[in-house]
């Protein structure tokens, strides 16, 4: 993946009828089937709920790498790669910010950055 | 289950790497044992339900045509690691509904032939492929959360491997038949921190088969009391909880009219150690946060005084052909409930439960989870 691309703020979809929020956004609200889905930027500082340090992965991945689940005030929960300068400082509950990074091919990749 | 349905015959092959046999031969071995064990003619089988995670294109027909079992209902089922239990429950339903008096459920897979590094290949385009979400990583995330949430030591996870490898040493078809120590489990290579290699099940080739019937003239091994197969739910909203096991268990136990404490034993989905811990809690055998202690103190071990968990040795010992595991668990439960489990026999076993879950569509907690309740007859 190209690590040089700038991180951009991810956009979730919030149902105008029932308020449930999904990332990635879904074309029809899974809760109430509403189709008026509004963009919500996920800008809040979230909480890393859990993480894993992967030591054996697919051949094309450099190990170790970190994945984590994080929850955000906008109402979404995200599983994404975690970027941190210090593996030792990783802990459940640390603050994280969510970004997406454009790639040469495919959908933008979500990234959790430890603050 | 409205009409009593009985398990009357079981068959299971050795589990492990089997490069010199094809899957149809492997499956036929288990089927012949199940049919002959049930004391019925192969011509009496009116429906065959087949589970495989990889071989869905007519696997049942390919296997059964050379046994003369054609012209009957043959259905092929893919439901991730719960596919075997799903096939079993559909065989039970075929009998319950009067479609046939005798039905066959088969689960088989040969995952050692795959080049993929994952036990269940993700669909092309699944976002998880892009960031290396392996099966150990998925369970590693659950393990880290459990350790953090309850403040328990990683040795409680490792104790699952120690117990199951001890049980598996008495299971002649298991891939691993040697015991391991806590130190060996913890010092084995790190795969997905906090999960070490000896906390991950082996990928094994294997097949299992079961005959169910409403008319156990030649004797029954056990009777089916309840079952449920449910899908997971979206995990992309704040506060989302992984409830697929507890929802499936409540439904199956409700149908059976039992409480978790009524179980003598259970076979659960310990693809990774944390899977067993969370299954024990999801089945309601322990309160949240208590299953690690339960295992570490030996309560879940044969003769330990509690609900024996994975007397077969579980996936950690037996190995895991994804479509086969659900049926292999039924075979174990039937052997236990009929007093035929040899050196791993659960004393005075009356009720047993089987639990499988798995599959990863991105942002679902699981594709499927199955819980089956069986009683001695």
């Amino acid at each position: 993946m190209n690590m040089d691309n700038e991180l951009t703020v991810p956009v979730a979809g919030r149902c105008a009828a029932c308020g449930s929020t999904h990332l990635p956004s879904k074309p029809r609200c899974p809760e109430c089937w509403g189709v008026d889905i509004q963009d919500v930027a996920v800008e809040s500082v979230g909480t890393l709920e859990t993480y894993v340090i992967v030591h054996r992965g697919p051949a094309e991945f450099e190990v170790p790498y970190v994945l984590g689940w994080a929850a955000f005030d906008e109402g979404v929960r995200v599983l994404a790669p975690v970027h941190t300068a210090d593996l030792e400082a990783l802990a459940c509950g640390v603050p994280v910010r969510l970004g997406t990074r454009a790639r040469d091919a495919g959908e933008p990749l979500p990234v959790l950055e430890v603050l | 289950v409205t009409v009593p349905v009985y398990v009357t015959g079981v068959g299971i092959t050795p589990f492990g790497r089997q490069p010199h046999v094809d899957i149809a031969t492997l499956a036929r071995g288990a089927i012949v044992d199940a049919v002959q064990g049930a004391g019925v003619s192969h011509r009496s089988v009116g429906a065959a339900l087949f589970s495989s995670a990889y071989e869905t294109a007519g696997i049942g027909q390919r296997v059964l045509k050379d046994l003369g079992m054609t012209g009957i209902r043959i259905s092929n089922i893919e439901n991730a690691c719960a596919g075997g239990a799903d096939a079993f429950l559909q065989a039970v339903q075929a009998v319950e509904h009067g479609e046939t008096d005798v039905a066959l459920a088969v689960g088989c897979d040969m995952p050692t032939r795959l080049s993929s590094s994952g036990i269940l290949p993700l669909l092309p385009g699944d976002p998880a492929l892009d960031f290396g979400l392996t099966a150990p990583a998925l369970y590693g995330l659950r393990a880290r959360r459990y350790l953090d949430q309850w403040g328990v030591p990683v040795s409680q996870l490792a104790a699952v491997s120690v117990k199951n490898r001890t049980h598996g040493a008495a299971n002649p078809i298991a891939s691993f038949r040697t015991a391991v120590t806590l130190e060996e489990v913890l010092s084995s290579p790190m795969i997905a921190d906090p999960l070490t290699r000896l906390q991950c099940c082996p990928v094994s080739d294997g097949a299992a088969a079961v005959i169910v019937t409403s008319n156990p003239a030649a004797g029954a091994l056990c009777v089916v009391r309840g079952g449920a197969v449910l899908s997971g739910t979206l995990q992309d909203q704040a506060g989302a909880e992984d409830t697929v096991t507890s929802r499936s268990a409540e439904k199956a136990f409700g149908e059976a009219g039992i409480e978790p404490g009524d179980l003598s034993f259970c076979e659960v989905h310990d693809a990774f150690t944390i899977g067993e811990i969370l299954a024990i809690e999801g089945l309601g055998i322990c309160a949240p946060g208590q299953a690690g202690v339960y295992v570490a103190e030996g309560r879940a071990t044969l003769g330990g005084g509690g609900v024996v968990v994975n007397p077969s040795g579980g996936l950690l010992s037996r190995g895991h052909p994804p479509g086969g595991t659900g049926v292999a668990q039924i075979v174990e439960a039937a052997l236990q409930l009929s007093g035929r489990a040899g050196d791993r026999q659960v004393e005075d076993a009356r009720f047993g439960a089987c639990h499988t879950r798995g599959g990863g569509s991105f942002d679902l907690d699981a594709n499927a989870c199955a819980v089956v309740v069986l009683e001695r007859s």
Side-chain angles (χ1 to χ4, degrees):
Chain A
M1 78 185 76
N2 186 344
M3 289 294 184
D4 300 330
N5 291 346
E6 289 285 301
L7 283 183
T8 54
V9 175
V11 178
R14 177 169 296 157
C15 174
C18 79
S20 79
T21 310
H22 294 273
L23 182 70
S25 180
K26 298 183 190 302
R28 183 184 287 273
C29 173
E31 262 57 54
C32 73
W33 275 28
V35 290
D36 183 1
I37 308 293
Q38 296 166 347
D39 287 351
V40 175
V42 180
E43 298 173 300
S44 67
V45 172
T47 303
L48 187 68
E49 293 181 343
T50 185
Y51 64 95
V52 61
I53 305 171
V54 182
H55 291 266
R56 301 292 168 95
E60 62 272 27
F61 285 80
E62 192 180 330
V63 292
Y65 59 93
V66 184
L67 305 175
W69 274 108
F72 294 87
D73 290 346
E74 288 83 359
V76 293
R77 231 177 135 236
V78 179
L79 172 62
V82 177
H83 284 181
T84 180
D86 183 6
L87 283 180
E88 297 294 315
L90 271 177
C92 297
V94 300
V96 289
R97 198 181 291 285
L98 181 67
T100 55
R101 180 170 278 134
R103 293 182 298 163
D104 299 337
E107 293 289 303
L109 191 72
V111 177
L112 293 164
E113 287 203 307
V114 176
L115 299 178
Chain B
V1 178
T2 46
V3 179
V5 177
Y6 301 86
V7 176
T8 55
V10 297
I12 191 163
T13 68
F15 276 35
R17 186 176 291 275
Q18 308 195 47
H20 304 301
V21 63
D22 64 87
I23 192 161
T25 305
L26 196 70
R28 280 193 288 267
I31 292 164
V32 168
D33 285 349
V35 171
Q36 292 184 336
V40 296
S41 161
H42 65 290
R43 298 285 186 190
S44 69
V45 176
L49 287 300
F50 254 76
S51 161
S52 166
Y54 307 121
E55 309 264 353
T56 48
I59 177 65
Q61 288 84 345
R62 281 190 278 143
V63 169
L64 291 176
K65 67 182 174 62
D66 292 344
L67 289 174
M69 299 168 76
T70 52
I72 61 170
R73 172 186 174 190
I74 303 176
S75 297
N76 298 305
I77 294 155
E78 184 283 314
N79 215 350
C81 307
D86 201 340
F88 174 76
L89 288 173
Q90 291 191 44
V92 171
Q93 285 162 0
V95 173
E96 262 186 297
H97 296 163
E99 180 184 333
T100 177
D101 290 336
V102 183
L104 167 71
V106 183
C108 56
D109 265 316
M110 301 197 81
T112 71
R113 304 215 169 152
L114 301 175
S115 54
S116 160
S117 56
I119 180 76
L120 271 186
L122 294 163
L123 292 173
D126 193 303
L129 279 179
D130 291 338
F131 47 80
L133 182 66
T134 62
L138 186 64
Y139 278 88
L141 288 161
R142 296 182 183 133
R144 175 58 60 197
R145 189 173 203 187
Y146 188 88
L147 297 178
D148 179 79
Q149 187 173 9
W150 305 109
V152 299
V154 71
S155 59
Q156 289 188 1
L157 300 180
V160 172
S161 292
V162 173
K163 168 180 66 68
N164 290 355
R165 291 288 294 266
T166 302
H167 292 170
N171 187 348
I173 61 93
S175 291
F176 289 151
R177 297 202 58 202
T178 51
V180 293
T181 66
L182 209 58
E183 292 68 31
E184 285 169 333
V185 175
L186 290 170
S187 64
S188 61
M190 189 60 79
I191 304 296
D193 193 350
L195 299 177
T196 54
R197 176 168 286 158
L198 287 177
Q199 297 186 59
C200 306
C201 71
V203 173
S204 300
D205 305 325
V210 168
I211 291 287
V212 292
T213 180
S214 53
N215 177 22
L221 300 173
C222 60
V223 60
V224 185
R225 288 300 185 209
V229 183
L230 294 174
S231 60
T233 53
L234 282 175
Q235 298 292 293
D236 70 342
Q237 291 191 281
E241 297 245 4
D242 175 350
T243 58
V244 73
T245 292
S246 56
R247 288 184 294 111
S248 304
E250 277 170 30
K251 193 171 177 205
F253 292 172
E255 186 179 4
I258 66 161
E259 301 290 331
D262 295 331
L263 295 172
S264 309
F265 69 92
C266 56
E267 287 282 313
V268 306
H269 201 74
D270 60 331
F272 304 89
T273 51
I274 183 65
E276 174 169 315
I277 299 285
L278 295 174
I280 293 171
E281 295 175 6
L283 292 176
I285 295 165
C286 290
Q290 296 300 309
V293 183
Y294 192 76
V295 173
E297 290 182 347
R299 301 262 296 148
T301 307
L302 274 167
V307 178
V308 180
V309 181
N310 280 322
S312 70
L315 283 61
L316 285 166
S317 299
R318 189 173 52 224
H320 184 33
T325 288
V327 182
Q329 289 186 339
I330 302 291
V331 171
E332 176 69 16
L335 294 174
Q336 291 286 350
L337 293 168
S338 60
R340 297 169 197 220
D343 291 341
R344 62 184 194 286
Q345 180 65 48
V346 175
E347 197 180 343
D348 195 30
R350 180 178 174 198
F351 285 106
C354 299
H355 160 267
T356 40
R357 63 168 287 169
S361 288
F362 186 64
D363 71 15
L364 287 180
D365 51 349
N367 279 1
C369 178
V371 175
V372 178
V373 179
L374 303 162
E375 184 181 7
R376 79 175 166 223
S377 58

